[in-house]
Amino acid sequence: MSRTPDWAGLRGDFPILDQRVHGQPLIYFDNAASSQKPRAVIDALRHYYEHDNANVHRGIHELSNRATTAFEAGRERVARFLNAGSADEIVFTRGTTESINLVAAAWGGAHIKAGDRILLTEMEHHSNLVPWQMLAQRTGAELRFVPVTGDEGLLDLARLDELLTPQVKLFAFTHISNSLGTINPVAELCARARARGVTTLVDAAQSAGHMPVDVRALGCDFLAFSSHKICGPTGLGVLWGRPAALDAMPPYQGGGEMILSVDYQKSSYKQPPHRFEAGTPDISGVIALHTALDYLDAIGREAIFRHDQELAQYTYQRLAELPNVRLFGPATDRAGLVSFLLGDVHAHDVVTVADQRGVALRGGHHCNQPLMKRLGVASTARASFYFYNTRAEVDRFIEVVREIQKFFAV
Amino acid sequence: MAEDLDELYQQVILDHCKTPRNFRALPGASRRGEGYNPLCGDNYTVFVAMDGDRVREATFQGSGCCISKASASLLTDAVKGRTKEEVKALFGQVHDIITTGRVTGDGLGKLAVFAGVHKFPARVKCAILAWHALVAAVDGAETPVTTE
């Protein structure tokens, strides 16, 4: 797309950004934790509840028909967003975490046995680690990890082929590291895994909505992401699965919506994706996510990626010019976030002072405790961007960082 | 800096965070308490040597943010020579000032610098962590404590 988006105009679509925090203009740099919502998405929620609210798939009446049509249109929209083959490949969940738990429980329960190996990486979010630990404990399988090279935060891919032993049944890894900003070469990783007959799962929580994500080009078997990180409502996520993989999976949870017929002793189940969606789904969430995806694609995900990457690169350079700053993640080709430490100042002290200046950062282990131990730190501070952030905000953030350094004498 | 920040990071706190007192293991300690806040990563061990019912010596080790470290440092200075009951009474006063900013009773001394913490709800758990570890130590509890 050659047209440059009107970034300032887009920022005006986000009512929440127009406020002061502790007397200072809000600078929201915690987008990797959760993004803000444009008015169009908030309006979609309101419109649904004011006009169309009813349960889906079971009503004969008009409102239920409307809700069902809009809900399933959301599924079609997500399929297009991922370039999936069909809407039947899209399962709605509560978030990336539940999507991964679903695969661990349903696929893992059917395919993983004692002695099998599950390959992960050292940079996984707890949500792509703990479900596999639970599966391994349940089945007697073992976990193995692709190492991270150090502060620069790259996967040591020279080790991958030796780690992809015949015992490995699944390789699950993140597209973008939420604490390092590393962008992993997903298509290459999937190709190398597929050559060994290994099933792949991609955690796209930080990449979907931040760059083009095409499941057919990536060549994975499962992919998970969350609505709330890409302008959609909280409490909603997506699991994409290759049709053959979904078809071979038993149900995840039992209940209404996922059954064909029920007797007192046994039941039969629907085909995917409904087999995996027990109970009333997040109807309003899916409808609003549809609006969010329309909104993002009107801007263009390539343009969003370039915008965020440029801000992150600029932030990285400005921080690198300051004394006593430790930076994490790759120096170039990074995603739209920067993790750092200022001398020996604890990340929470950095975040508290920044907050008093109106700058919302994240400080902590970012749900990456093993990675933090691997890097020899308790926590880091993180600035993470989206398309409504500006260079002027980064300049102000750097001023605040200098104040923090002065305050704590580092 | 904003006034609230100066209240939170008082000079005494910055001083104790930069140069913590009694920051060492205590050989021959009769009691020790562990305080760990996994979300923050704040992790302290408080060592206590008792003479009967009275604290003869208190030290600490560990790592964490400025507020938690300064609190542990000031605590070790404050409890020396106090009986177990006096330590618990002091804990009550410290708890009050950290959570409400209100001074109850007297004898807080330097610990009054924590009056600004209550305006930062996310940091209350930092300031109180070492105190819970201390109380666990004088009570002889063996389970690590957390304030998250």
Side-chain angles (χ1 to χ4, degrees), chain A residues 353-400:
Chain A
V353 178
D355 176 53
Q356 289 296 308
R357 291 309 198 216
V359 182
L361 302 175
R362 173 84 188 270
H365 54 58
H366 312 294
C367 296
N368 284 128
Q369 281 185 16
L371 177 65
M372 294 290 131
K373 279 182 205 152
R374 171 86 173 71
L375 298 174
V377 299
S379 60
T380 70
R382 180 186 71 190
S384 56
F385 312 108
Y386 215 4
F387 54 86
Y388 39 69
N389 293 126
T390 67
R391 271 172 93 91
E393 287 181 315
V394 174
D395 290 336
R396 173 66 186 134
F397 160 73
I398 294 292
E399 270 178 39
V400 170

Side-chain angles (χ1 to χ4, degrees), chain A residues 300-320:
Chain A
R301 281 178 272 169
E302 278 285 1
I304 291 171
F305 177 71
R306 281 196 305 273
H307 174 277
D308 296 354
Q309 186 172 52
E310 199 180 295
L311 275 190
Q313 200 62 42
Y314 179 58
T315 305
Y316 189 95
Q317 281 161 6
R318 292 292 310 272
L319 285 171

Side-chain angles (χ1 to χ4, degrees), chain B:
Chain B
M1 280 289 165
E3 279 175 26
D4 279 358
L5 270 183
D6 287 336
E7 271 186 65
L8 177 65
Y9 295 106
Q10 299 234 2
Q11 280 308 318
V12 172
I13 291 179
L14 287 174
D15 171 35
H16 276 257
C17 136
K18 282 273 171 200
T19 319
R21 320 295 198 269
N22 311 306
F23 191 47
R24 60 179 192 275
L26 184 58
S30 34
R31 308 271 175 80
R32 65 159 71 186
E34 308 280 344
Y36 177 42
N37 281 345
L39 287 177
C40 302
D42 291 354
N43 198 357
Y44 295 98
T45 305
V46 175
F47 300 89
V48 182
M50 307 289 289
D51 264 344
D53 198 35
R54 198 173 288 277
V55 175
R56 185 180 77 243
E57 183 72 86
T59 68
F60 79 107
Q61 278 189 313
S63 63
C65 67
C66 195
I67 305 298
S68 62
K69 186 175 276 184
S71 178
S73 174
L74 283 157
L75 164 160
T76 52
D77 268 351
V79 298
K80 277 177 213 173
R82 293 187 196 247
T83 65
K84 189 170 159 180
E85 284 317 304
E86 287 168 348
V87 165
K88 288 195 173 177
L90 186 60
F91 169 76
Q93 286 181 278
V94 169
H95 191 276
D96 285 345
I97 196 167
I98 286 174
T99 54
T100 67
R102 281 196 297 275
V103 177
T104 48
D106 41 84
L108 273 174
K110 278 186 184 172
L111 298 172
V113 297
F114 291 104
V117 176
H118 76 283
K119 292 184 182 169
F120 297 79
R123 306 307 297 277
V124 165
K125 66 182 192 298
C126 313
I128 204 73
L129 178 63
W131 283 92
H132 281 276
L134 169 76
V135 169
V138 298
D139 276 345
E142 285 174 8
T143 323
V145 298
T146 182
T147 56
E148 282 180 342

Side-chain angles (χ1 to χ4, degrees), chain A residues 169-203:
Chain A
K169 295 291 183 290
L170 177 84
F171 181 23
F173 55 91
T174 191
H175 193 169
I176 290 175
S177 160
N178 69 306
S179 56
L180 299 165
T182 313
I183 306 171
N184 288 321
V186 174
E188 181 198 339
L189 297 180
C190 289
R192 286 168 73 174
R194 195 166 55 247
R196 310 287 185 99
V198 174
T199 298
T200 50
L201 178 143
V202 176
D203 172 355

